[in-house]
Amino acid sequence: MSIVFCPEAETEMAILSTIFSALLPMVVTFLLGFVAAWRHDFGSKDASTLNRMVLQYAVPLALFAGTVMTSRATLSQDIPLVITLCVTIVGFYFVVFLFSRVVLRMQVKTSAIAALTASAPAVPFVGPAVLGDLFGGLSAIPIAIASLVINLTVVPITMLLLALDSSGGGLQEGALSALAPKSYASVFAGKLVETVKEPIVWAPVLAFIIVLSGVRIPQLIVHSLALLGHASGGVALFACGIVLASGNIKVNRYVLFFVALKNIMQPALVLGGLRWIGYRNPVVSEAVLTTAIPAMPIVLMFALRYRVAQEEAASSIFLSVMASVVTMGIFIALTH
């Protein structure tokens, strides 16, 4: 009896192996944070300290280094992909935000966290590992475009919404109606200035301006800045494990709903929309698989900083990563 190997089966196994190898480090880092908190080596206060380091230093450096290495030629090389990712990420963010506010009647800051969870894939952390093995050198284009869209739009918008709905005033339910238009405008302007001053906001904007100007930063400087930036994803996931161990893993209908929006609904809409318009690969596969990447760990960083839905955010990220082993495999099969 001879054994016949099916090329399609070998391809599917290679794809699953790629996804698993890319997501396994995220799961292991989660578990290390969980075990560290369980052993009382770290607590919830330590998670807040790690969070401050990530948001003030590691993430801004990672965003700057990643953005400044993008060339103008890369941005103009595939306009349909640029438009698709802009509409998908930004449009989906506002749809989820409005749905959370109007239908689910969540607070502004909770709605902002939910919208970021459902719309922003962890492209800077998982993209090179997953998309790199699938598309090779071409993966640099969707990774760069998606990272720019996320860093320049939904991340600063989320920070602004969280700042406006913080304890200092702004969009508080009772205070909003009591504010005169001029007073509200001054509050909004003040929060906007505070948001723009944050390194996580101005760092990618500055890098984007450098890219548009055509100025090339020496690689030695970029690599020096990126050293601490490379730690941002791992530290964020480690802190996520600490939060899960310090509290309770909340798997309620809201957590499952927003994870389903991120892992299933967003890439499904991209797939259906592009096929309906008439696009084919590689645009379809690049856009769909980019949006099929699980939620960003930075969601938890914002939740910790502004003390909103911390356990739900940690649980959502963990479930999104675990479920993406299956959901990404399905979308890879549908687009290849």
Side-chain angles (χ1 to χ4, degrees):
M1 179 183 295
S2 60
I3 300 176
V4 179
F5 292 95
C6 177
E8 290 79 5
E10 293 180 1
T11 302
E12 292 176 358
M13 290 299 297
I15 290 173
L16 290 176
S17 176
T18 297
I19 299 172
F20 184 76
S21 62
L23 298 177
L24 181 61
M26 299 181 69
V27 177
V28 170
T29 309
F30 264 121
L31 296 178
L32 286 174
F34 190 92
V35 171
W38 178 69
R39 288 170 47 88
H40 302 291
D41 294 330
F42 292 88
S44 56
K45 292 183 178 179
D46 298 306
S48 299
T49 302
L50 294 174
N51 171 72
R52 187 166 60 254
M53 186 275 288
V54 169
L55 287 182
Q56 294 296 323
Y57 294 96
V59 170
L61 289 174
L63 297 183
F64 182 86
T67 303
V68 82
M69 292 178 67
T70 307
S71 64
R72 286 188 297 180
T74 299
L75 296 178
S76 60
Q77 185 172 345
D78 204 335
I79 298 301
L81 184 61
V82 174
I83 296 174
T84 299
L85 291 178
C86 283
V87 172
T88 301
I89 294 173
V90 180
F92 204 67
Y93 179 94
F94 283 109
V95 169
V96 175
F97 177 80
L98 291 175
F99 181 85
S100 301
R101 284 287 292 152
V102 177
V103 179
L104 301 181
R105 298 188 178 279
M106 293 181 172
Q107 293 181 340
V108 171
K109 55 186 178 183
T110 309
S111 300
I113 291 293
L116 189 64
T117 301
S119 65
V123 176
F125 308 113
V126 185
V130 176
L131 301 183
D133 285 346
L134 293 174
F135 302 120
L138 294 176
S139 65
I141 298 175
I143 291 172
I145 294 172
S147 298
L148 281 174
V149 172
I150 293 169
N151 299 337
L152 297 176
T153 57
V154 294
V155 167
I157 289 172
T158 301
M159 289 197 66
L160 178 59
L161 291 172
L162 290 171
L164 287 170
D165 198 32
S166 64
S167 58
L171 292 179
Q172 295 293 325
E173 296 293 340
L176 180 58
S177 59
L179 286 174
K182 181 180 291 187
S183 177
Y184 175 70
S186 63
V187 171
F188 180 84
K191 292 296 182 180
L192 180 60
V193 171
E194 290 179 10
T195 302
V196 173
K197 288 181 178 179
E198 294 287 345
I200 197 174
V201 175
W202 62 257
V205 172
L206 175 62
F208 186 62
I209 294 174
I210 293 174
V211 169
L212 293 180
S213 66
V215 176
R216 303 300 298 176
I217 304 296
Q219 289 293 320
L220 179 61
I221 297 178
V222 175
H223 289 315
S224 299
L225 296 176
L227 180 60
L228 180 59
H230 289 158
S232 59
V235 176
L237 292 170
F238 189 84
C240 187
I242 295 175
V243 173
L244 287 176
S246 302
N248 298 316
I249 299 178
K250 290 193 175 181
V251 185
N252 53 39
R253 57 179 181 175
Y254 295 111
V255 169
L256 294 176
F257 175 69
F258 292 115
V259 170
L261 287 180
K262 175 70 212 70
N263 286 37
I264 301 174
M265 183 59 69
Q266 188 184 35
L269 288 174
V270 174
L271 176 60
L274 289 179
R275 288 279 170 81
W276 180 70
I277 295 173
Y279 281 102
R280 296 291 182 265
N281 287 339
V283 174
V284 172
S285 58
E286 289 175 347
V288 171
L289 297 182
T290 299
T291 53
I293 290 174
M296 293 184 69
I298 200 174
V299 172
L300 176 64
M301 300 294 97
F302 286 153
L304 287 173
R305 176 172 179 175
Y306 293 95
R307 301 181 183 277
V308 50
Q310 299 175 38
E311 294 177 353
E312 289 84 352
S315 301
S316 297
I317 297 170
F318 182 74
L319 292 177
S320 180
V321 171
M322 298 300 292
S324 63
V325 176
V326 176
T327 56
M328 285 200 70
I330 293 174
F331 282 109
I332 290 174
L334 292 174
T335 54
H336 284 69

